[in-house]
Amino acid sequence: MAEVFRKCTAYKDLTAGSPREREFLHWLLTFLDTPSVWFHLSPVEVMAWEEAETRLEVGDVALPGLALPYSRPASVEGRLVPVDGEVEGNIAVAKFPEDVDDAKYLVLEAARRGAQAVLFTGRPQRRIAISGEPGFKLDSAPAPIPAASFEDLQGHIGKRARLVIDVNMQTTYSYNLVAFNSLDNTPMISAHWDHWLVGAADNCAGVEAAVLAFSELVADDVPIALGLFTAEEGVAPRLSTGRGGRSTTSKGGNLRF
């Protein structure tokens, strides 16, 4: 049954509205298809986000990085300074907090203090969704300033630099998948499949466990439902990318089953 886990983790950045997600959803439907199981696909409007390139130019050196979703396209310049220093008009540098979800609060505070961007440094490089307000809401806006992850910036503190983030953002449609073997009200086992980078713990292992439990209960003829969801880490669709960005909007119906 680890086949589900292997398939899920084979996708780097399995994000809402992407072609990779559509392929994975087709695969799940085939994998789960048995005579006793029905399916319902529920359309969800999402902001699809995909990185083209992120780099930091320091003198003649260009360092590759990972943009943190959902940073808008950006080209900003400033001095690299510690996040607890004089960040106004500069680019703040910080280590990822022990709880990576707290990265959002570092970005929001740096933006409040006038930073041009926040760069997280350390190995391995990470992605964590950064929204423009505390808490976790699907309709949150992206963070007010760009953020990115780089392996090692400590040797460049104090130098002037230029951060370039090139991403594609588009409003499109994805689907939540519900599978069930009974038309009565039944318990539901649920998990989300969208993830950044490999996504083993967030949340391919959860998808594996949910599918395994559902399949075993179906085999025992126990009434049960399975909910597999997209856009667990999303922001509000139909947002402007800001100046210099690339953004398109596509109508619903471009995912066909």
Side-chain angles (χ1 to χ4, degrees), residues 20-40:
R20 295 178 297 280
E21 185 193 49
R22 182 170 63 236
E23 180 183 281
F24 181 63
L25 181 51
H26 274 289
W27 184 88
L28 276 174
L29 287 167
T30 302
F31 186 86
L32 290 167
D33 191 21
T34 62
S36 60
V37 172
W38 295 273
F39 299 102
H40 173 71

Side-chain angles (χ1 to χ4, degrees), residues 3-16:
E3 186 177 356
V4 176
F5 179 81
R6 287 194 296 268
K7 183 68 174 179
C8 184
T9 56
Y11 294 96
K12 177 183 177 181
D13 289 347
L14 184 57
T15 55

Side-chain angles (χ1 to χ4, degrees), residues 19-103:
R20 295 178 297 280
E21 185 193 49
R22 182 170 63 236
E23 180 183 281
F24 181 63
L25 181 51
H26 274 289
W27 184 88
L28 276 174
L29 287 167
T30 302
F31 186 86
L32 290 167
D33 191 21
T34 62
S36 60
V37 172
W38 295 273
F39 299 102
H40 173 71
L41 293 172
S42 176
V44 181
E45 191 175 33
V46 298
M47 172 65 77
W49 184 96
E50 185 171 14
E51 178 185 53
E53 181 188 18
T54 295
R55 68 181 187 273
L56 183 68
E57 300 171 354
V58 187
D60 296 331
V61 177
L63 304 173
L66 296 177
L68 300 192
Y70 287 76
S71 292
R72 296 180 175 95
S75 176
V76 299
E77 296 185 28
R79 194 172 303 280
L80 298 175
V81 300
V83 72
D84 57 356
E86 295 296 329
V87 299
E88 185 172 2
N90 292 314
I91 299 174
V93 178
K95 292 182 179 180
F96 265 107
E98 186 174 339
D99 183 346
V100 294
D101 286 331
D102 288 340

Side-chain angles (χ1 to χ4, degrees), residues 50-53 73 166-170 241-242 244-248:
E50 185 171 14
E51 178 185 53
E53 181 188 18
D166 185 11
V167 297
N168 298 305
M169 301 172 69
Q170 64 173 346
T241 62
R246 295 186 290 171
S247 176
T248 58

Side-chain angles (χ1 to χ4, degrees), residues 78-195:
R79 194 172 303 280
L80 298 175
V81 300
V83 72
D84 57 356
E86 295 296 329
V87 299
E88 185 172 2
N90 292 314
I91 299 174
V93 178
K95 292 182 179 180
F96 265 107
E98 186 174 339
D99 183 346
V100 294
D101 286 331
D102 288 340
K104 174 197 308 186
Y105 303 104
L106 283 177
V107 173
L108 292 177
E109 176 61 16
R112 186 190 67 80
R113 293 166 54 212
Q116 297 273 32
V118 175
L119 307 183
F120 291 96
T121 183
R123 293 186 175 91
Q125 290 176 277
R126 299 177 177 180
R127 286 204 212 272
I128 184 75
I130 305 292
S131 62
E133 60 183 272
F136 299 90
K137 295 172 56 182
L138 180 60
D139 60 353
S140 296
I145 57 175
S149 173
F150 290 85
E151 283 195 350
D152 185 11
L153 297 179
Q154 296 305 317
H156 298 289
I157 297 295
K159 299 177 182 178
R160 290 197 62 82
R162 176 172 175 255
L163 172 68
V164 177
I165 293 179
D166 185 11
V167 297
N168 298 305
M169 301 172 69
Q170 64 173 346
T171 300
T172 185
Y173 278 81
S174 184
Y175 291 86
N176 294 325
L177 168 63
V178 178
F180 48 97
N181 66 346
S182 171
L183 298 178
D184 296 328
N185 290 331
T186 63
M188 175 181 285
I189 305 167
S190 65
H192 72 91
W193 63 60
D194 61 309
H195 61 257

